[in-house]
Amino acid sequence: MKEAVDSPGKESQTPARPADLEPLRLRQLKEQIVAWGHDLGFQQLGVADTQLDLHERHLDRWLERQFHGEMAYMQRHGKRRSHPELLIPGTLRVISARMDYLHGSAEPASDLMRQPVKALISRYALGRDYHKLLRRRLQQLADRIESETGPFGYRVFVDSAPVLEKALAEKAGLGWIGKHSNLLNQNAGSWFFLGEIYTDLPLPTDTPAENHCGTCTRCIDFCPTGAIVGPYQVDARRCISYLTIELRGSIPTDLRELMGNRIFGCDDCQVVCPWNRFAQHSAENDFRPRDGLDAAELVTLFGWSEAEFLQRTEGSAIRRIGYECWLRNIAVALGNAPRSDAVIKALHARQEHPSELVREHVEWALSRHA
Ligand code: B12
Ligand code: SF4
Ligand code: SF4
């Protein structure tokens, strides 16, 4: 998933500790924060301290092995990702929150996997971009806290660099990092986003959730590209989410066939996870699929002009990849689709596209149907 530019959000101008910090008051405040968070649409909230030594070692090893590929931002910030107090001096605790995104009206991803003429877009990206929504709600939560405590030091983050969101959520008791490396929860599966408030309030911390993966290896076995190279270790360079969203250049040819009809992100490791039987649907209107994107035909999407692409993806996370990569991804999926006149016609129509990147993927797709 794309890591946005670090957004400062609103920081209180004169970070000062509230005068009244007795343990009992802090416990009450934490209960209030959880209740306010629920009112704001978060399904679960918890509090973690900032000690991430073990995760830091895993992160370092992941970077050493170049698993981040071209995501240079993953190594840009030195130790600040694994040391919240270096990123925002004075940080003592992290309030971690999760929000479900699977909308009840969306066609299940598992059905789309069996329909290669249709586009499979990650379920998280079907509605409006989640970054703004979550950040706004976290800001409202911080404002609510401030109205109770007076000015305090804080910073709001959603998928914004450089924060180890899953590790912090695990510590805050929101779930455990599964073998597919997503955070999952015994009662809620893994179809949710994460966001945080870094704060200098010494709130009581939660107990980390236990790992319930056991001997299961379904996500590893079903990953189409073998990107989960070992339990808890994803080589992003092989992950379809990276290939379709993060990578700007040519998609390695040996991985194209394995991508099937996935044109934006990939949900397979979550679809096969048994704990997602317990996932709840989101009631957020913003997460409702737009423009029939949950089950659109590949040829229809490939036919969009750039103006149409920009108009239809306004306010959506999909827009971030740009029109060129959009066409690149769909060309690969059309190469994997069953041969038909409509598919061949759609590909021919893009053979002279001004972008070399698009033309190359179109040629590859046509060669598959030759
Ligand atoms: C970079 C990134 C990606 C990259 C790399 C993925 C990855 N696993 O790191 C790519 C583009 C591939 C990606 C894909 C997806 N992403 Co993304 N991504 C991020 C981002 C920006 C950073 C993640 C990170 O820190 N990676 C660093 C590596 C080292 O972490 P890690 O692989 O999780 O490894 C940890 C553990 O597995 C463990 N570990 C590692 N190695 C080992 C080895 C052993 C032996 C052990 C025991 C443990 C262990 O320690 C590590 C540190 O905690 C976060 C937002 C954020 N700022 O945190 C979102 C985030 C993780 N993504 C998210 C989502 C939704 C996705 C997708 C599902 C989107 C999609 N449908 O296409 C996929 C899932 C793919 C997958 N299986 O991971 C959500 C996850 C929500 C959740 N429930 O967990 C996040 C939190 C964004 C958000 N705010 O909601 N993503
Ligand atoms: S998102 Fe898809 S490609 Fe990436 S690890 Fe999960 S199953 Fe594999
Ligand atoms: S599929 Fe199995 S191994 Fe993978 S995260 Fe889910 S429970 Fe864990």
Side-chain angles (χ1 to χ4, degrees):
M1 183 169 290
K2 182 120 187 106
E3 191 161 85
V5 179
D6 187 6
S7 149
K10 191 186 122 195
E11 198 178 6
S12 58
Q13 292 302 302
T14 46
R17 293 274 188 80
D20 185 11
L21 289 180
E22 285 94 27
L24 176 63
R25 179 70 198 97
L26 285 166
R27 274 206 303 279
Q28 287 168 342
L29 179 60
K30 185 180 157 191
E31 282 170 24
Q32 286 174 302
I33 291 172
V34 171
W36 295 328
H38 287 152
D39 292 346
L40 286 164
F42 292 104
Q43 277 67 43
Q44 202 180 348
L45 298 98
V47 175
D49 64 31
T50 58
Q51 213 274 76
L52 293 167
D53 287 1
L54 182 61
H55 293 280
E56 180 177 56
R57 286 200 288 281
H58 290 312
L59 170 65
D60 288 346
R61 181 95 183 94
W62 189 78
L63 291 168
E64 269 162 35
R65 295 169 82 188
Q66 302 293 314
F67 283 175
H68 58 296
E70 291 178 13
M71 295 182 289
Y73 61 79
M74 286 304 297
Q75 57 181 173
R76 198 175 291 142
H77 303 278
K79 293 285 167 204
R80 281 184 291 173
R81 188 176 293 272
S82 43
H83 289 271
E85 73 287 356
L86 293 182
L87 183 66
I88 306 294
T91 299
L92 292 176
R93 297 287 186 264
V94 177
I95 303 168
S96 175
R98 67 169 188 85
M99 189 183 281
D100 295 336
Y101 59 75
L102 200 62
H103 203 274
S105 65
E107 189 124 335
S110 49
D111 290 358
L112 272 296
M113 286 171 182
R114 291 188 285 270
Q115 301 178 66
V117 294
K118 290 199 173 168
L120 183 38
I121 295 175
S122 275
R123 303 296 88 176
Y124 87 84
L126 297 173
R128 291 189 72 79
D129 195 334
Y130 65 96
H131 292 91
K132 271 193 204 150
L133 173 92
L134 262 80
R135 198 174 291 136
R136 202 173 51 238
R137 300 278 176 88
L138 287 171
Q139 184 60 53
Q140 286 171 338
L141 180 57
D143 291 345
R144 188 73 189 81
I145 299 170
E146 198 165 44
S147 69
E148 189 73 21
T149 64
F152 73 109
Y154 70 88
R155 187 74 70 95
V156 166
F157 295 104
V158 177
D159 198 13
S160 54
V163 174
L164 277 179
E165 296 195 305
K166 295 179 283 186
L168 288 163
E170 186 176 72
K171 289 201 75 167
L174 267 49
W176 73 96
I177 296 178
K179 291 180 189 171
H180 50 25
S181 93
N182 296 303
L183 194 87
L184 71 158
N185 178 299
Q186 237 184 327
N187 304 310
S190 61
W191 304 104
F192 52 77
F193 298 122
L194 296 173
E196 306 75 32
I197 302 178
Y198 279 23
T199 176
D200 64 358
L201 293 174
L203 296 162
T205 55
D206 283 281
T207 312
E210 261 176 59
N211 185 314
H212 293 282
C213 281
T215 55
C216 174
T217 55
R218 285 174 70 89
C219 51
I220 301 174
D221 303 338
F222 280 91
C223 172
T225 52
I228 310 175
V229 293
Y232 314 102
Q233 299 160 66
V234 172
D235 181 350
R237 295 167 302 180
R238 296 191 69 82
C239 176
I240 296 169
S241 188
Y242 169 83
L243 297 171
T244 53
I245 302 174
E246 300 285 334
L247 184 70
R248 287 288 159 265
S250 178
I251 296 174
T253 40
D254 59 323
L255 298 177
R256 292 182 192 176
E257 188 180 346
L258 304 173
M259 288 166 55
N261 59 342
R262 295 163 194 79
I263 65 159
F264 189 92
C266 170
D267 288 335
D268 289 34
C269 49
Q270 298 188 85
V271 168
V272 298
C273 178
W275 292 105
N276 268 329
R277 282 197 305 262
F278 304 107
Q280 309 289 320
H281 282 145
S282 167
E284 290 292 341
N285 212 24
D286 273 6
F287 297 156
R288 180 181 291 280
R290 294 162 36 147
D291 282 324
L293 280 176
D294 55 326
E297 301 274 334
L298 286 168
V299 287
T300 309
L301 301 185
F302 203 54
W304 283 0
S305 65
E306 182 159 14
E308 242 176 320
F309 169 79
L310 292 174
Q311 185 244 318
R312 288 178 189 270
T313 59
E314 198 174 347
S316 141
I318 296 174
R319 202 184 215 207
R320 291 161 179 251
I321 66 169
Y323 186 54
E324 206 183 1
C325 289
W326 173 250
L327 291 181
R328 173 199 67 179
N329 296 348
I330 306 174
V332 171
L334 285 170
N336 294 328
R339 188 190 159 90
S340 74
D341 288 348
V343 166
I344 302 297
K345 196 169 155 217
L347 286 167
H348 278 310
R350 297 283 182 203
Q351 251 182 320
E352 304 301 327
H353 193 274
S355 155
E356 161 61 23
L357 182 73
V358 174
R359 288 200 305 275
E360 184 248 312
H361 287 75
V362 166
E363 286 310 326
W364 175 85
L366 283 167
S367 73
R368 299 258 299 151
H369 293 297

